[in-house]
């Protein structure tokens, strides 16, 4: 089973998406977008940049947990992970994005 991009409209009318692994867990969350087309372009950016060397950055939060961000070639963050208990777990999460993003199907619930 492949991953899924889940595109939704938030309560304030903006759009966002999550990338879900094949087990249904959220592995990447986008920022909010004002337009649906912008969110769809964000998904394209995740597909492309997830395969680019150096696109992931592992960061430490103030609570000693770790997370990763995925950056576009211009340095803009296109997605962020949940918090993980260790750096190794965050690295494993970024590898999951690499495995799932390119082939992930789009579930469009942004009506």
């Amino acid at each position: 089973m492949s991953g899924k991009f889940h595109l939704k409209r938030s309560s304030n009318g903006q759009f966002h998406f999550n990338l879900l692994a094949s087990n249904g867990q959220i592995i990447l969350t986008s920022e909010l977008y004002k337009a649906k087309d912008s969110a769809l372009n964000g998904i394209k950016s995740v597909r492309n940049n997830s395969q680019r060397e150096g696109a992931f950055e592992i960061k430490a939060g103030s609570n000693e947990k770790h997370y990763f961000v995925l950056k576009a070639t211009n340095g803009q963050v296109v997605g962020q992970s949940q918090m993980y208990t260790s750096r190794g777990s965050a690295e494993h999460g970024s590898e999951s994005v690499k495995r799932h993003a390119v082939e992930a199907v789009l579930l469009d619930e942004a009506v």
Side-chain angles (χ1 to χ4, degrees), residues 44-106:
K44 285 181 191 176
S45 182
V46 171
R47 290 186 196 277
N48 294 332
N49 287 294
S50 66
Q51 306 306 301
R52 188 173 54 79
E53 186 67 34
F56 289 93
E57 183 179 341
I58 307 295
K59 297 186 170 207
S62 59
N63 58 1
E64 297 184 20
K65 292 187 176 188
H66 292 80
Y67 65 100
F68 64 83
V69 295
L70 173 61
K71 293 183 176 182
T73 53
N74 64 4
Q76 181 178 355
V77 173
V78 292
Q80 181 173 316
S81 74
Q82 64 180 2
M83 298 300 281
Y84 293 93
T85 56
S86 69
R87 180 178 181 84
S89 295
E91 290 169 352
H92 181 72
S94 69
E95 290 298 321
S96 185
V97 172
K98 289 178 188 177
R99 282 192 310 275
H100 290 93
V102 174
E103 299 291 324
V105 298
L106 173 62

